[in-house]
Amino acid sequence: KTFGKLRNSDTCKSCSWMETENSSLLVISNRLPFTLRRGRDGVLQRVPAAGGLVTAVAPVVAQTGGTWIGWPGPGISCSESLPGPDPSDQSPTASLQSGQIRPVYLTDWDYQMYYNGCCNATLWPLFHSMPDKAVFDEAYWQAYRAVNQKFAAASLDVLRSAKQKRSSLPLVWIHDY
């Protein structure tokens, strides 16, 4: 449960905000740690996601009472409640409660322009030593900025709420770009 703590008070006299002992974990990621699909009855259901981030980090978020911020997927409206975990679920996200999830709702256009556009067509080639493959499009950049503002607003909401409820702020993990 402990991530560590700044212990040398001579190095930083006013760094109590850096203490992470007994802190929760706030993950800010492009996607939520599970996907959502509609059952035959039209009700949303969680589908466990695969991958190293989810497998390693989701249990820590759950165990520390943290929060995961991410996009819930296409066709999910902000008027819909996110489902809780299925009691038979044994995946790493099984112990994450709905209250620990903070969705960031995006239109299909937002997602295409920000993720497939800016992240995949511009940033990915640049970060992988392929600048000749990068596509520079002003619309991609504007969508990237707008979507990041939505993620920033959600993050600030979670942090402000955490500050009111706890003596320490969560450790923040920003994953990917």
mmCIF file with all atom_site columns, all heavy atoms in Angstrom, residues 127-152:
data_model
loop_
_atom_site.group_PDB
_atom_site.id
_atom_site.type_symbol
_atom_site.label_atom_id
_atom_site.label_alt_id
_atom_site.label_comp_id
_atom_site.label_asym_id
_atom_site.label_entity_id
_atom_site.label_seq_id
_atom_site.pdbx_PDB_ins_code
_atom_site.Cartn_x
_atom_site.Cartn_y
_atom_site.Cartn_z
_atom_site.occupancy
_atom_site.B_iso_or_equiv
_atom_site.pdbx_formal_charge
_atom_site.auth_seq_id
_atom_site.auth_comp_id
_atom_site.auth_asym_id
_atom_site.auth_atom_id
_atom_site.pdbx_PDB_model_num
ATOM 1   N N   . PHE A 1 127 ? 7.715   9.953  -31.320 1.00 0.00 ? 127 PHE A N   1
ATOM 2   C CA  . PHE A 1 127 ? 8.293   9.315  -30.141 1.00 0.00 ? 127 PHE A CA  1
ATOM 3   C C   . PHE A 1 127 ? 8.986   7.995  -30.461 1.00 0.00 ? 127 PHE A C   1
ATOM 4   O O   . PHE A 1 127 ? 9.606   7.397  -29.591 1.00 0.00 ? 127 PHE A O   1
ATOM 5   C CB  . PHE A 1 127 ? 7.221   9.070  -29.077 1.00 0.00 ? 127 PHE A CB  1
ATOM 6   C CG  . PHE A 1 127 ? 6.709   10.329 -28.430 1.00 0.00 ? 127 PHE A CG  1
ATOM 7   C CD1 . PHE A 1 127 ? 5.539   10.302 -27.717 1.00 0.00 ? 127 PHE A CD1 1
ATOM 8   C CD2 . PHE A 1 127 ? 7.383   11.537 -28.528 1.00 0.00 ? 127 PHE A CD2 1
ATOM 9   C CE1 . PHE A 1 127 ? 5.048   11.450 -27.103 1.00 0.00 ? 127 PHE A CE1 1
ATOM 10  C CE2 . PHE A 1 127 ? 6.907   12.688 -27.929 1.00 0.00 ? 127 PHE A CE2 1
ATOM 11  C CZ  . PHE A 1 127 ? 5.746   12.645 -27.204 1.00 0.00 ? 127 PHE A CZ  1
ATOM 12  N N   . HIS A 1 128 ? 8.866   7.536  -31.684 1.00 0.00 ? 128 HIS A N   1
ATOM 13  C CA  . HIS A 1 128 ? 9.484   6.271  -32.081 1.00 0.00 ? 128 HIS A CA  1
ATOM 14  C C   . HIS A 1 128 ? 10.478  6.458  -33.230 1.00 0.00 ? 128 HIS A C   1
ATOM 15  O O   . HIS A 1 128 ? 10.664  5.573  -34.066 1.00 0.00 ? 128 HIS A O   1
ATOM 16  C CB  . HIS A 1 128 ? 8.406   5.235  -32.432 1.00 0.00 ? 128 HIS A CB  1
ATOM 17  C CG  . HIS A 1 128 ? 7.614   4.819  -31.232 1.00 0.00 ? 128 HIS A CG  1
ATOM 18  N ND1 . HIS A 1 128 ? 6.520   5.517  -30.795 1.00 0.00 ? 128 HIS A ND1 1
ATOM 19  C CD2 . HIS A 1 128 ? 7.792   3.817  -30.351 1.00 0.00 ? 128 HIS A CD2 1
ATOM 20  C CE1 . HIS A 1 128 ? 6.041   4.950  -29.703 1.00 0.00 ? 128 HIS A CE1 1
ATOM 21  N NE2 . HIS A 1 128 ? 6.801   3.914  -29.401 1.00 0.00 ? 128 HIS A NE2 1
ATOM 22  N N   . SER A 1 129 ? 11.086  7.639  -33.254 1.00 0.00 ? 129 SER A N   1
ATOM 23  C CA  . SER A 1 129 ? 12.177  7.954  -34.186 1.00 0.00 ? 129 SER A CA  1
ATOM 24  C C   . SER A 1 129 ? 11.801  7.801  -35.651 1.00 0.00 ? 129 SER A C   1
ATOM 25  O O   . SER A 1 129 ? 12.599  7.352  -36.464 1.00 0.00 ? 129 SER A O   1
ATOM 26  C CB  . SER A 1 129 ? 13.411  7.091  -33.866 1.00 0.00 ? 129 SER A CB  1
ATOM 27  O OG  . SER A 1 129 ? 13.814  7.317  -32.537 1.00 0.00 ? 129 SER A OG  1
ATOM 28  N N   . MET A 1 130 ? 10.557  8.175  -35.977 1.00 0.00 ? 130 MET A N   1
ATOM 29  C CA  . MET A 1 130 ? 10.117  8.133  -37.371 1.00 0.00 ? 130 MET A CA  1
ATOM 30  C C   . MET A 1 130 ? 9.468   9.461  -37.760 1.00 0.00 ? 130 MET A C   1
ATOM 31  O O   . MET A 1 130 ? 8.305   9.504  -38.149 1.00 0.00 ? 130 MET A O   1
ATOM 32  C CB  . MET A 1 130 ? 9.131   6.992  -37.567 1.00 0.00 ? 130 MET A CB  1
ATOM 33  C CG  . MET A 1 130 ? 9.747   5.630  -37.390 1.00 0.00 ? 130 MET A CG  1
ATOM 34  S SD  . MET A 1 130 ? 8.580   4.306  -37.728 1.00 0.00 ? 130 MET A SD  1
ATOM 35  C CE  . MET A 1 130 ? 7.825   4.119  -36.118 1.00 0.00 ? 130 MET A CE  1
ATOM 36  N N   . PRO A 1 131 ? 10.202  10.560 -37.653 1.00 0.00 ? 131 PRO A N   1
ATOM 37  C CA  . PRO A 1 131 ? 9.588   11.859 -37.928 1.00 0.00 ? 131 PRO A CA  1
ATOM 38  C C   . PRO A 1 131 ? 9.052   11.988 -39.356 1.00 0.00 ? 131 PRO A C   1
ATOM 39  O O   . PRO A 1 131 ? 8.113   12.751 -39.595 1.00 0.00 ? 131 PRO A O   1
ATOM 40  C CB  . PRO A 1 131 ? 10.707  12.864 -37.654 1.00 0.00 ? 131 PRO A CB  1
ATOM 41  C CG  . PRO A 1 131 ? 11.965  12.077 -37.771 1.00 0.00 ? 131 PRO A CG  1
ATOM 42  C CD  . PRO A 1 131 ? 11.616  10.683 -37.331 1.00 0.00 ? 131 PRO A CD  1
ATOM 43  N N   . ASP A 1 132 ? 9.622   11.243 -40.292 1.00 0.00 ? 132 ASP A N   1
ATOM 44  C CA  . ASP A 1 132 ? 9.147   11.303 -41.679 1.00 0.00 ? 132 ASP A CA  1
ATOM 45  C C   . ASP A 1 132 ? 7.740   10.710 -41.835 1.00 0.00 ? 132 ASP A C   1
ATOM 46  O O   . ASP A 1 132 ? 7.053   10.989 -42.810 1.00 0.00 ? 132 ASP A O   1
ATOM 47  C CB  . ASP A 1 132 ? 10.128  10.580 -42.608 1.00 0.00 ? 132 ASP A CB  1
ATOM 48  C CG  . ASP A 1 132 ? 10.343  9.136  -42.222 1.00 0.00 ? 132 ASP A CG  1
ATOM 49  O OD1 . ASP A 1 132 ? 10.566  8.875  -41.018 1.00 0.00 ? 132 ASP A OD1 1
ATOM 50  O OD2 . ASP A 1 132 ? 10.288  8.266  -43.112 1.00 0.00 ? 132 ASP A OD2 1
ATOM 51  N N   . LYS A 1 133 ? 7.295   9.928  -40.868 1.00 0.00 ? 133 LYS A N   1
ATOM 52  C CA  . LYS A 1 133 ? 5.960   9.319  -40.914 1.00 0.00 ? 133 LYS A CA  1
ATOM 53  C C   . LYS A 1 133 ? 4.903   10.194 -40.222 1.00 0.00 ? 133 LYS A C   1
ATOM 54  O O   . LYS A 1 133 ? 3.714   9.917  -40.314 1.00 0.00 ? 133 LYS A O   1
ATOM 55  C CB  . LYS A 1 133 ? 5.964   7.945  -40.235 1.00 0.00 ? 133 LYS A CB  1
ATOM 56  C CG  . LYS A 1 133 ? 6.971   6.982  -40.783 1.00 0.00 ? 133 LYS A CG  1
ATOM 57  C CD  . LYS A 1 133 ? 6.484   6.340  -42.032 1.00 0.00 ? 133 LYS A CD  1
ATOM 58  C CE  . LYS A 1 133 ? 7.459   5.233  -42.426 1.00 0.00 ? 133 LYS A CE  1
ATOM 59  N NZ  . LYS A 1 133 ? 7.463   4.981  -43.828 1.00 0.00 ? 133 LYS A NZ  1
ATOM 60  N N   . ALA A 1 134 ? 5.337   11.205 -39.485 1.00 0.00 ? 134 ALA A N   1
ATOM 61  C CA  . ALA A 1 134 ? 4.410   12.042 -38.719 1.00 0.00 ? 134 ALA A CA  1
ATOM 62  C C   . ALA A 1 134 ? 3.545   12.898 -39.636 1.00 0.00 ? 134 ALA A C   1
ATOM 63  O O   . ALA A 1 134 ? 4.019   13.455 -40.623 1.00 0.00 ? 134 ALA A O   1
ATOM 64  C CB  . ALA A 1 134 ? 5.185   12.929 -37.752 1.00 0.00 ? 134 ALA A CB  1
ATOM 65  N N   . VAL A 1 135 ? 2.273   12.961 -39.299 1.00 0.00 ? 135 VAL A N   1
ATOM 66  C CA  . VAL A 1 135 ? 1.307   13.789 -40.035 1.00 0.00 ? 135 VAL A CA  1
ATOM 67  C C   . VAL A 1 135 ? 0.981   14.992 -39.167 1.00 0.00 ? 135 VAL A C   1
ATOM 68  O O   . VAL A 1 135 ? 0.524   14.830 -38.033 1.00 0.00 ? 135 VAL A O   1
ATOM 69  C CB  . VAL A 1 135 ? 0.018   12.991 -40.338 1.00 0.00 ? 135 VAL A CB  1
ATOM 70  C CG1 . VAL A 1 135 ? -1.008  13.864 -41.025 1.00 0.00 ? 135 VAL A CG1 1
ATOM 71  C CG2 . VAL A 1 135 ? 0.341   11.753 -41.166 1.00 0.00 ? 135 VAL A CG2 1
ATOM 72  N N   . PHE A 1 136 ? 1.228   16.180 -39.692 1.00 0.00 ? 136 PHE A N   1
ATOM 73  C CA  . PHE A 1 136 ? 0.954   17.404 -38.946 1.00 0.00 ? 136 PHE A CA  1
ATOM 74  C C   . PHE A 1 136 ? -0.307  18.049 -39.513 1.00 0.00 ? 136 PHE A C   1
ATOM 75  O O   . PHE A 1 136 ? -0.319  18.499 -40.651 1.00 0.00 ? 136 PHE A O   1
ATOM 76  C CB  . PHE A 1 136 ? 2.150   18.355 -39.034 1.00 0.00 ? 136 PHE A CB  1
ATOM 77  C CG  . PHE A 1 136 ? 3.388   17.776 -38.423 1.00 0.00 ? 136 PHE A CG  1
ATOM 78  C CD1 . PHE A 1 136 ? 4.326   17.120 -39.204 1.00 0.00 ? 136 PHE A CD1 1
ATOM 79  C CD2 . PHE A 1 136 ? 3.601   17.859 -37.057 1.00 0.00 ? 136 PHE A CD2 1
ATOM 80  C CE1 . PHE A 1 136 ? 5.464   16.570 -38.635 1.00 0.00 ? 136 PHE A CE1 1
ATOM 81  C CE2 . PHE A 1 136 ? 4.726   17.308 -36.479 1.00 0.00 ? 136 PHE A CE2 1
ATOM 82  C CZ  . PHE A 1 136 ? 5.667   16.657 -37.264 1.00 0.00 ? 136 PHE A CZ  1
ATOM 83  N N   . ASP A 1 137 ? -1.353  18.038 -38.714 1.00 0.00 ? 137 ASP A N   1
ATOM 84  C CA  . ASP A 1 137 ? -2.644  18.565 -39.140 1.00 0.00 ? 137 ASP A CA  1
ATOM 85  C C   . ASP A 1 137 ? -3.182  19.436 -38.008 1.00 0.00 ? 137 ASP A C   1
ATOM 86  O O   . ASP A 1 137 ? -3.314  18.966 -36.871 1.00 0.00 ? 137 ASP A O   1
ATOM 87  C CB  . ASP A 1 137 ? -3.593  17.397 -39.430 1.00 0.00 ? 137 ASP A CB  1
ATOM 88  C CG  . ASP A 1 137 ? -4.936  17.820 -39.963 1.00 0.00 ? 137 ASP A CG  1
ATOM 89  O OD1 . ASP A 1 137 ? -5.508  18.813 -39.467 1.00 0.00 ? 137 ASP A OD1 1
ATOM 90  O OD2 . ASP A 1 137 ? -5.438  17.136 -40.865 1.00 0.00 ? 137 ASP A OD2 1
ATOM 91  N N   . GLU A 1 138 ? -3.493  20.670 -38.293 1.00 0.00 ? 138 GLU A N   1
ATOM 92  C CA  . GLU A 1 138 ? -3.988  21.601 -37.282 1.00 0.00 ? 138 GLU A CA  1
ATOM 93  C C   . GLU A 1 138 ? -5.248  21.083 -36.595 1.00 0.00 ? 138 GLU A C   1
ATOM 94  O O   . GLU A 1 138 ? -5.426  21.250 -35.384 1.00 0.00 ? 138 GLU A O   1
ATOM 95  C CB  . GLU A 1 138 ? -4.262  22.968 -37.914 1.00 0.00 ? 138 GLU A CB  1
ATOM 96  C CG  . GLU A 1 138 ? -4.762  24.014 -36.949 1.00 0.00 ? 138 GLU A CG  1
ATOM 97  C CD  . GLU A 1 138 ? -3.720  24.506 -35.951 1.00 0.00 ? 138 GLU A CD  1
ATOM 98  O OE1 . GLU A 1 138 ? -2.518  24.315 -36.199 1.00 0.00 ? 138 GLU A OE1 1
ATOM 99  O OE2 . GLU A 1 138 ? -4.122  25.064 -34.919 1.00 0.00 ? 138 GLU A OE2 1
ATOM 100 N N   . ALA A 1 139 ? -6.120  20.420 -37.336 1.00 0.00 ? 139 ALA A N   1
ATOM 101 C CA  . ALA A 1 139 ? -7.358  19.889 -36.747 1.00 0.00 ? 139 ALA A CA  1
ATOM 102 C C   . ALA A 1 139 ? -7.043  18.793 -35.718 1.00 0.00 ? 139 ALA A C   1
ATOM 103 O O   . ALA A 1 139 ? -7.714  18.708 -34.681 1.00 0.00 ? 139 ALA A O   1
ATOM 104 C CB  . ALA A 1 139 ? -8.280  19.342 -37.833 1.00 0.00 ? 139 ALA A CB  1
ATOM 105 N N   . TYR A 1 140 ? -6.025  17.976 -35.991 1.00 0.00 ? 140 TYR A N   1
ATOM 106 C CA  . TYR A 1 140 ? -5.613  16.960 -35.019 1.00 0.00 ? 140 TYR A CA  1
ATOM 107 C C   . TYR A 1 140 ? -5.160  17.635 -33.721 1.00 0.00 ? 140 TYR A C   1
ATOM 108 O O   . TYR A 1 140 ? -5.508  17.212 -32.626 1.00 0.00 ? 140 TYR A O   1
ATOM 109 C CB  . TYR A 1 140 ? -4.450  16.117 -35.544 1.00 0.00 ? 140 TYR A CB  1
ATOM 110 C CG  . TYR A 1 140 ? -4.745  15.178 -36.684 1.00 0.00 ? 140 TYR A CG  1
ATOM 111 C CD1 . TYR A 1 140 ? -3.700  14.544 -37.345 1.00 0.00 ? 140 TYR A CD1 1
ATOM 112 C CD2 . TYR A 1 140 ? -6.035  14.897 -37.103 1.00 0.00 ? 140 TYR A CD2 1
ATOM 113 C CE1 . TYR A 1 140 ? -3.923  13.661 -38.381 1.00 0.00 ? 140 TYR A CE1 1
ATOM 114 C CE2 . TYR A 1 140 ? -6.275  14.019 -38.145 1.00 0.00 ? 140 TYR A CE2 1
ATOM 115 C CZ  . TYR A 1 140 ? -5.215  13.403 -38.783 1.00 0.00 ? 140 TYR A CZ  1
ATOM 116 O OH  . TYR A 1 140 ? -5.433  12.534 -39.804 1.00 0.00 ? 140 TYR A OH  1
ATOM 117 N N   . TRP A 1 141 ? -4.339  18.667 -33.875 1.00 0.00 ? 141 TRP A N   1
ATOM 118 C CA  . TRP A 1 141 ? -3.801  19.360 -32.714 1.00 0.00 ? 141 TRP A CA  1
ATOM 119 C C   . TRP A 1 141 ? -4.907  20.026 -31.896 1.00 0.00 ? 141 TRP A C   1
ATOM 120 O O   . TRP A 1 141 ? -4.914  19.963 -30.666 1.00 0.00 ? 141 TRP A O   1
ATOM 121 C CB  . TRP A 1 141 ? -2.748  20.378 -33.143 1.00 0.00 ? 141 TRP A CB  1
ATOM 122 C CG  . TRP A 1 141 ? -2.196  21.175 -32.005 1.00 0.00 ? 141 TRP A CG  1
ATOM 123 C CD1 . TRP A 1 141 ? -2.312  22.511 -31.809 1.00 0.00 ? 141 TRP A CD1 1
ATOM 124 C CD2 . TRP A 1 141 ? -1.443  20.679 -30.896 1.00 0.00 ? 141 TRP A CD2 1
ATOM 125 N NE1 . TRP A 1 141 ? -1.686  22.879 -30.644 1.00 0.00 ? 141 TRP A NE1 1
ATOM 126 C CE2 . TRP A 1 141 ? -1.137  21.773 -30.062 1.00 0.00 ? 141 TRP A CE2 1
ATOM 127 C CE3 . TRP A 1 141 ? -0.998  19.411 -30.519 1.00 0.00 ? 141 TRP A CE3 1
ATOM 128 C CZ2 . TRP A 1 141 ? -0.417  21.648 -28.884 1.00 0.00 ? 141 TRP A CZ2 1
ATOM 129 C CZ3 . TRP A 1 141 ? -0.282  19.287 -29.347 1.00 0.00 ? 141 TRP A CZ3 1
ATOM 130 C CH2 . TRP A 1 141 ? 0.004   20.397 -28.549 1.00 0.00 ? 141 TRP A CH2 1
ATOM 131 N N   . GLN A 1 142 ? -5.858  20.667 -32.572 1.00 0.00 ? 142 GLN A N   1
ATOM 132 C CA  . GLN A 1 142 ? -6.955  21.330 -31.858 1.00 0.00 ? 142 GLN A CA  1
ATOM 133 C C   . GLN A 1 142 ? -7.803  20.302 -31.104 1.00 0.00 ? 142 GLN A C   1
ATOM 134 O O   . GLN A 1 142 ? -8.215  20.538 -29.966 1.00 0.00 ? 142 GLN A O   1
ATOM 135 C CB  . GLN A 1 142 ? -7.814  22.144 -32.829 1.00 0.00 ? 142 GLN A CB  1
ATOM 136 C CG  . GLN A 1 142 ? -7.102  23.345 -33.429 1.00 0.00 ? 142 GLN A CG  1
ATOM 137 C CD  . GLN A 1 142 ? -6.541  24.296 -32.380 1.00 0.00 ? 142 GLN A CD  1
ATOM 138 O OE1 . GLN A 1 142 ? -7.119  24.506 -31.326 1.00 0.00 ? 142 GLN A OE1 1
ATOM 139 N NE2 . GLN A 1 142 ? -5.378  24.872 -32.676 1.00 0.00 ? 142 GLN A NE2 1
ATOM 140 N N   . ALA A 1 143 ? -8.064  19.161 -31.720 1.00 0.00 ? 143 ALA A N   1
ATOM 141 C CA  . ALA A 1 143 ? -8.831  18.104 -31.049 1.00 0.00 ? 143 ALA A CA  1
ATOM 142 C C   . ALA A 1 143 ? -8.049  17.559 -29.857 1.00 0.00 ? 143 ALA A C   1
ATOM 143 O O   . ALA A 1 143 ? -8.621  17.318 -28.784 1.00 0.00 ? 143 ALA A O   1
ATOM 144 C CB  . ALA A 1 143 ? -9.161  16.978 -32.030 1.00 0.00 ? 143 ALA A CB  1
ATOM 145 N N   . TYR A 1 144 ? -6.749  17.377 -30.019 1.00 0.00 ? 144 TYR A N   1
ATOM 146 C CA  . TYR A 1 144 ? -5.892  16.881 -28.933 1.00 0.00 ? 144 TYR A CA  1
ATOM 147 C C   . TYR A 1 144 ? -5.960  17.829 -27.741 1.00 0.00 ? 144 TYR A C   1
ATOM 148 O O   . TYR A 1 144 ? -6.121  17.402 -26.596 1.00 0.00 ? 144 TYR A O   1
ATOM 149 C CB  . TYR A 1 144 ? -4.459  16.747 -29.453 1.00 0.00 ? 144 TYR A CB  1
ATOM 150 C CG  . TYR A 1 144 ? -3.472  16.217 -28.448 1.00 0.00 ? 144 TYR A CG  1
ATOM 151 C CD1 . TYR A 1 144 ? -3.396  14.860 -28.173 1.00 0.00 ? 144 TYR A CD1 1
ATOM 152 C CD2 . TYR A 1 144 ? -2.599  17.078 -27.787 1.00 0.00 ? 144 TYR A CD2 1
ATOM 153 C CE1 . TYR A 1 144 ? -2.476  14.361 -27.261 1.00 0.00 ? 144 TYR A CE1 1
ATOM 154 C CE2 . TYR A 1 144 ? -1.678  16.594 -26.874 1.00 0.00 ? 144 TYR A CE2 1
ATOM 155 C CZ  . TYR A 1 144 ? -1.616  15.237 -26.614 1.00 0.00 ? 144 TYR A CZ  1
ATOM 156 O OH  . TYR A 1 144 ? -0.715  14.758 -25.708 1.00 0.00 ? 144 TYR A OH  1
ATOM 157 N N   . ARG A 1 145 ? -5.858  19.113 -28.001 1.00 0.00 ? 145 ARG A N   1
ATOM 158 C CA  . ARG A 1 145 ? -5.916  20.109 -26.926 1.00 0.00 ? 145 ARG A CA  1
ATOM 159 C C   . ARG A 1 145 ? -7.287  20.090 -26.245 1.00 0.00 ? 145 ARG A C   1
ATOM 160 O O   . ARG A 1 145 ? -7.375  20.133 -25.015 1.00 0.00 ? 145 ARG A O   1
ATOM 161 C CB  . ARG A 1 145 ? -5.611  21.495 -27.467 1.00 0.00 ? 145 ARG A CB  1
ATOM 162 C CG  . ARG A 1 145 ? -4.158  21.642 -27.888 1.00 0.00 ? 145 ARG A CG  1
ATOM 163 C CD  . ARG A 1 145 ? -3.835  23.028 -28.376 1.00 0.00 ? 145 ARG A CD  1
ATOM 164 N NE  . ARG A 1 145 ? -4.037  23.956 -27.273 1.00 0.00 ? 145 ARG A NE  1
ATOM 165 C CZ  . ARG A 1 145 ? -4.300  25.249 -27.420 1.00 0.00 ? 145 ARG A CZ  1
ATOM 166 N NH1 . ARG A 1 145 ? -4.383  25.777 -28.624 1.00 0.00 ? 145 ARG A NH1 1
ATOM 167 N NH2 . ARG A 1 145 ? -4.460  26.031 -26.372 1.00 0.00 ? 145 ARG A NH2 1
ATOM 168 N N   . ALA A 1 146 ? -8.358  20.031 -27.022 1.00 0.00 ? 146 ALA A N   1
ATOM 169 C CA  . ALA A 1 146 ? -9.717  20.041 -26.457 1.00 0.00 ? 146 ALA A CA  1
ATOM 170 C C   . ALA A 1 146 ? -9.962  18.801 -25.594 1.00 0.00 ? 146 ALA A C   1
ATOM 171 O O   . ALA A 1 146 ? -10.524 18.900 -24.496 1.00 0.00 ? 146 ALA A O   1
ATOM 172 C CB  . ALA A 1 146 ? -10.752 20.130 -27.579 1.00 0.00 ? 146 ALA A CB  1
ATOM 173 N N   . VAL A 1 147 ? -9.548  17.644 -26.069 1.00 0.00 ? 147 VAL A N   1
ATOM 174 C CA  . VAL A 1 147 ? -9.742  16.408 -25.305 1.00 0.00 ? 147 VAL A CA  1
ATOM 175 C C   . VAL A 1 147 ? -8.889  16.438 -24.034 1.00 0.00 ? 147 VAL A C   1
ATOM 176 O O   . VAL A 1 147 ? -9.358  16.051 -22.957 1.00 0.00 ? 147 VAL A O   1
ATOM 177 C CB  . VAL A 1 147 ? -9.424  15.168 -26.171 1.00 0.00 ? 147 VAL A CB  1
ATOM 178 C CG1 . VAL A 1 147 ? -9.303  13.918 -25.321 1.00 0.00 ? 147 VAL A CG1 1
ATOM 179 C CG2 . VAL A 1 147 ? -10.507 14.997 -27.233 1.00 0.00 ? 147 VAL A CG2 1
ATOM 180 N N   . ASN A 1 148 ? -7.665  16.924 -24.137 1.00 0.00 ? 148 ASN A N   1
ATOM 181 C CA  . ASN A 1 148 ? -6.823  17.019 -22.944 1.00 0.00 ? 148 ASN A CA  1
ATOM 182 C C   . ASN A 1 148 ? -7.395  17.995 -21.924 1.00 0.00 ? 148 ASN A C   1
ATOM 183 O O   . ASN A 1 148 ? -7.232  17.797 -20.720 1.00 0.00 ? 148 ASN A O   1
ATOM 184 C CB  . ASN A 1 148 ? -5.383  17.373 -23.324 1.00 0.00 ? 148 ASN A CB  1
ATOM 185 C CG  . ASN A 1 148 ? -4.584  16.135 -23.641 1.00 0.00 ? 148 ASN A CG  1
ATOM 186 O OD1 . ASN A 1 148 ? -4.066  15.489 -22.745 1.00 0.00 ? 148 ASN A OD1 1
ATOM 187 N ND2 . ASN A 1 148 ? -4.526  15.783 -24.916 1.00 0.00 ? 148 ASN A ND2 1
ATOM 188 N N   . GLN A 1 149 ? -8.113  19.002 -22.371 1.00 0.00 ? 149 GLN A N   1
ATOM 189 C CA  . GLN A 1 149 ? -8.782  19.914 -21.431 1.00 0.00 ? 149 GLN A CA  1
ATOM 190 C C   . GLN A 1 149 ? -9.883  19.156 -20.672 1.00 0.00 ? 149 GLN A C   1
ATOM 191 O O   . GLN A 1 149 ? -10.070 19.381 -19.481 1.00 0.00 ? 149 GLN A O   1
ATOM 192 C CB  . GLN A 1 149 ? -9.373  21.103 -22.181 1.00 0.00 ? 149 GLN A CB  1
ATOM 193 C CG  . GLN A 1 149 ? -8.304  21.974 -22.779 1.00 0.00 ? 149 GLN A CG  1
ATOM 194 C CD  . GLN A 1 149 ? -8.370  23.396 -22.292 1.00 0.00 ? 149 GLN A CD  1
ATOM 195 O OE1 . GLN A 1 149 ? -9.419  23.903 -21.961 1.00 0.00 ? 149 GLN A OE1 1
ATOM 196 N NE2 . GLN A 1 149 ? -7.225  24.032 -22.238 1.00 0.00 ? 149 GLN A NE2 1
ATOM 197 N N   . LYS A 1 150 ? -10.575 18.262 -21.368 1.00 0.00 ? 150 LYS A N   1
ATOM 198 C CA  . LYS A 1 150 ? -11.609 17.458 -20.689 1.00 0.00 ? 150 LYS A CA  1
ATOM 199 C C   . LYS A 1 150 ? -10.979 16.531 -19.654 1.00 0.00 ? 150 LYS A C   1
ATOM 200 O O   . LYS A 1 150 ? -11.497 16.378 -18.548 1.00 0.00 ? 150 LYS A O   1
ATOM 201 C CB  . LYS A 1 150 ? -12.399 16.631 -21.710 1.00 0.00 ? 150 LYS A CB  1
ATOM 202 C CG  . LYS A 1 150 ? -13.288 17.470 -22.604 1.00 0.00 ? 150 LYS A CG  1
ATOM 203 C CD  . LYS A 1 150 ? -14.041 16.611 -23.600 1.00 0.00 ? 150 LYS A CD  1
ATOM 204 C CE  . LYS A 1 150 ? -14.896 17.467 -24.501 1.00 0.00 ? 150 LYS A CE  1
ATOM 205 N NZ  . LYS A 1 150 ? -15.743 16.677 -25.395 1.00 0.00 ? 150 LYS A NZ  1
ATOM 206 N N   . PHE A 1 151 ? -9.861  15.907 -20.005 1.00 0.00 ? 151 PHE A N   1
ATOM 207 C CA  . PHE A 1 151 ? -9.160  15.039 -19.054 1.00 0.00 ? 151 PHE A CA  1
ATOM 208 C C   . PHE A 1 151 ? -8.624  15.860 -17.875 1.00 0.00 ? 151 PHE A C   1
ATOM 209 O O   . PHE A 1 151 ? -8.676  15.416 -16.728 1.00 0.00 ? 151 PHE A O   1
ATOM 210 C CB  . PHE A 1 151 ? -8.022  14.276 -19.733 1.00 0.00 ? 151 PHE A CB  1
ATOM 211 C CG  . PHE A 1 151 ? -8.459  13.001 -20.391 1.00 0.00 ? 151 PHE A CG  1
ATOM 212 C CD1 . PHE A 1 151 ? -8.982  12.989 -21.671 1.00 0.00 ? 151 PHE A CD1 1
ATOM 213 C CD2 . PHE A 1 151 ? -8.343  11.792 -19.721 1.00 0.00 ? 151 PHE A CD2 1
ATOM 214 C CE1 . PHE A 1 151 ? -9.387  11.810 -22.272 1.00 0.00 ? 151 PHE A CE1 1
ATOM 215 C CE2 . PHE A 1 151 ? -8.746  10.603 -20.315 1.00 0.00 ? 151 PHE A CE2 1
ATOM 216 C CZ  . PHE A 1 151 ? -9.277  10.614 -21.598 1.00 0.00 ? 151 PHE A CZ  1
ATOM 217 N N   . ALA A 1 152 ? -8.121  17.048 -18.156 1.00 0.00 ? 152 ALA A N   1
ATOM 218 C CA  . ALA A 1 152 ? -7.606  17.912 -17.082 1.00 0.00 ? 152 ALA A CA  1
ATOM 219 C C   . ALA A 1 152 ? -8.732  18.321 -16.139 1.00 0.00 ? 152 ALA A C   1
ATOM 220 O O   . ALA A 1 152 ? -8.554  18.303 -14.911 1.00 0.00 ? 152 ALA A O   1
ATOM 221 C CB  . ALA A 1 152 ? -6.926  19.150 -17.679 1.00 0.00 ? 152 ALA A CB  1
#
